[in-house]
Amino acid sequence: MTVLDILLYPDERLRQECEPVEDFADPAIQGTIDDLLETLAAHPACVGVAAPQAGCPLQLLIMDCGRARKPPADHHGLLVVCNPAILHWNGMEVGREGCLSLPDYTGNVVRATEVTVQFQNRHGQEAVLALTGFEARVIQHEMDHLEGKLFVDRLVSRKADLFRRKNYGPTKTKG
Ligand code: NI
């Protein structure tokens, strides 16, 4: 497994619309998933990474809210998420987000507080999960990457809602 280089804003490859994962038996796809897992593990307190951040334009993300500094009580642990679609969402909440592709900044972003997501796991098996709170926020952030969107696109005001990180340390949660 390999730790992949993360593309940094404003790299245009972060703006691609990603293609669905179709051949789950393809060793290259499975290898990319393993590399993304290794990449997530290499970034302390990082809770998610999307394939396009590693230059791979596939509808694929991995997340693990158990890696947060203060993990939410109801998280689902490690999720390998292929071809996700939000079936239902509810509520809205402002929260602070970071991103490996914008390592110097955090921002306040409005997200749904509850989402029901349909996806396929790394073996192509269908799943439906209801996610709430921080975990719902993380999957919405990562799914944005699959459409070429970044959290800075969702700020109401760059002046009021964008913050420069005070340090690069492992204490802040990033996705
Ligand atoms: Ni991100």
Side-chain angles (χ1 to χ4, degrees), residues 13-18 49-53 58-61 81 84-86 97-99 102 109-112 136-155 175:
R13 289 169 289 177
L14 292 167
R15 297 308 196 172
Q16 297 178 83
E17 288 259 353
C18 293
V49 64
Q53 292 182 274
L58 285 173
Q59 292 178 27
L60 164 63
L61 64 92
V81 175
I86 292 182
E97 296 185 12
C99 182
L102 290 114
V109 182
V110 177
R111 300 284 188 188
R137 173 173 298 278
V138 171
I139 202 164
Q140 290 170 85
H141 174 114
E142 301 305 337
M143 285 180 68
D144 269 358
H145 280 297
L146 309 185
E147 296 182 351
K149 290 200 192 86
L150 300 167
F151 79 80
V152 285
D153 304 327
R154 294 197 178 275
L155 305 175

